[in-house]
Amino acid sequence: MATSKSTPRIKLLIEMERLGFIGGAGLNDLRHKILSYRAGDFCLPIGGIEREDMEIPPLITILLTGLTASGKSSFINLMYGVLGRFGLIPFAQTSGESSNFTTMYLEEHNVLRSPRSGFCVYDTRGLDQNHMEEGLEEVSTWMTDGVRHHQPCKRAGDENIKGLIQLNESMEFTNSRYINRKVNFVMVVADLSEIHRAFKSGDLEPIVALRTLFHFPPIKNSNENPILILTHGDTLTPEDRIKGRLQICEYMGIPETNGVYDIPCMAEQWVLAEDSDPISAYALTEAVYKALLQADRAHPPKWRLKEWTTFIFSWTMWCLASLFSFLAKIFGRFGNCDGRLRDM
């Protein structure tokens, strides 16, 4: 059966078969490409612009965002386990079932645990589905102004959280010594078990919030969607897991097999992911690889002398035109006043 004519369910089953076939054998090869990656390695000359003519940052920055308790920190710990080979050590603090902890500030992670790493991953504070406007404004600020390690994530009502004011003051004091990084790509993390419960109960508020975040214009990269990471699918039955993925992809209007990865966070169970679940380990590695590919497609061209000269000339002419227009209005008013005086 041709894939193009297949139903979404069959396409998804084919994708699962692909991951199962290539997962174990292809993991080391793909992981090696990421371990040896340097910012800009995946740049391709497009539109006559060569790699040396692009504005490439020293480090590619991948931002993780999602609703509260979606599994962002757990996903980062899995990255450490798969890419950094530190599967038994949780580097990012997570909110377990018996914990009220949530990430209150931005945190930069070198998941390869290497000084030669070509990328970093930022863990962020989860968005509250009941206050999406405020959360999206914060995301927009990260995309526009960049992100910095230990940058506090302040929101209305935080003053009621015990000890948070002192924490934010401490973070504001220490984060000034860290480098501000431009966000190059975004991964949206979502809890597949919560998605399944929302569809089953008919309460679509978290689904609407997730769709709003995923299609938020500032996080698109060269008109491409962010990558969607579905976590905690291992808590569902296989049928519910497939159904939940198909439902959320249809609801959000995105392909069910391209740019979507179902990755249970096995690192939270204190086992090496590649030993217990090589398919998920490969899916994670492929997701990071694809994020780096898409990030390297979006580097802007450098501004050379010709561009700067054109910009300065255009800006100067605009300023002069605005000045002449302003003076014309002023003298026009004086002329009207003189005419009225003569008439009197």
Side-chain angles (χ1 to χ4, degrees), residues 254-309:
I254 59 176
E256 59 281 334
T257 59
N258 185 21
V260 180
Y261 292 92
D262 179 354
I263 304 174
C265 299
M266 300 297 292
E268 293 302 297
Q269 300 179 22
W270 300 93
V271 292
L272 286 170
E274 61 190 276
D275 294 335
S276 62
D277 189 355
I279 296 176
S280 293
Y282 180 83
L284 178 145
T285 308
E286 186 176 277
V288 174
Y289 179 74
K290 182 170 288 190
L292 298 176
L293 279 174
Q294 295 188 14
D296 275 343
R297 286 186 198 170
H299 299 309
K302 292 179 180 178
W303 276 42
R304 300 190 181 278
L305 179 61
K306 180 180 178 180
E307 285 80 10
W308 277 112
T309 303

Side-chain angles (χ1 to χ4, degrees), residues 9 12 16 192-193 195-196 230-248 261-266 277 279-280 283:
R9 184 182 182 87
L12 178 54
M16 293 169 64
L192 186 55
S193 63
I195 290 172
H196 171 70
L230 300 174
T231 62
H232 305 308
D234 52 322
T235 62
L236 300 172
T237 65
E239 177 59 29
D240 288 342
R241 191 170 177 177
I242 292 174
K243 185 178 179 180
R245 177 168 172 174
L246 291 174
Q247 285 178 313
I248 190 61
Y261 292 92
D262 179 354
I263 304 174
C265 299
M266 300 297 292
D277 189 355
I279 296 176
S280 293

Side-chain angles (χ1 to χ4, degrees), residues 10 24 30 40 52 85 160 171 242-243 252 283 287-288 290:
I10 292 178
L30 194 57
E52 55 271 16
R85 313 304 293 273
N160 298 324
M171 290 302 173
I242 292 174
K243 185 178 179 180
M252 296 175 66
V288 174
K290 182 170 288 190

Side-chain angles (χ1 to χ4, degrees), residues 145-185:
D145 300 337
V147 291
R148 192 188 298 266
H149 183 54
H150 279 185
Q151 177 180 332
C153 302
K154 295 181 179 179
R155 295 178 189 169
D158 284 349
E159 61 275 6
N160 298 324
I161 302 178
K162 185 178 180 180
L164 186 59
I165 295 178
Q166 292 84 347
L167 173 64
N168 281 337
E169 290 176 351
S170 174
M171 290 302 173
E172 286 181 342
F173 176 76
T174 59
N175 80 332
S176 59
R177 61 187 176 132
Y178 297 115
I179 295 175
N180 188 73
R181 301 196 188 280
K182 179 182 182 299
V183 176
N184 303 109
F185 196 76

Side-chain angles (χ1 to χ4, degrees), residues 325-340:
S325 177
F326 174 75
L327 293 176
K329 290 180 181 179
I330 295 297
F331 286 118
R333 290 176 182 174
F334 282 136
N336 291 336
C337 290
D338 291 341
R340 292 172 184 172

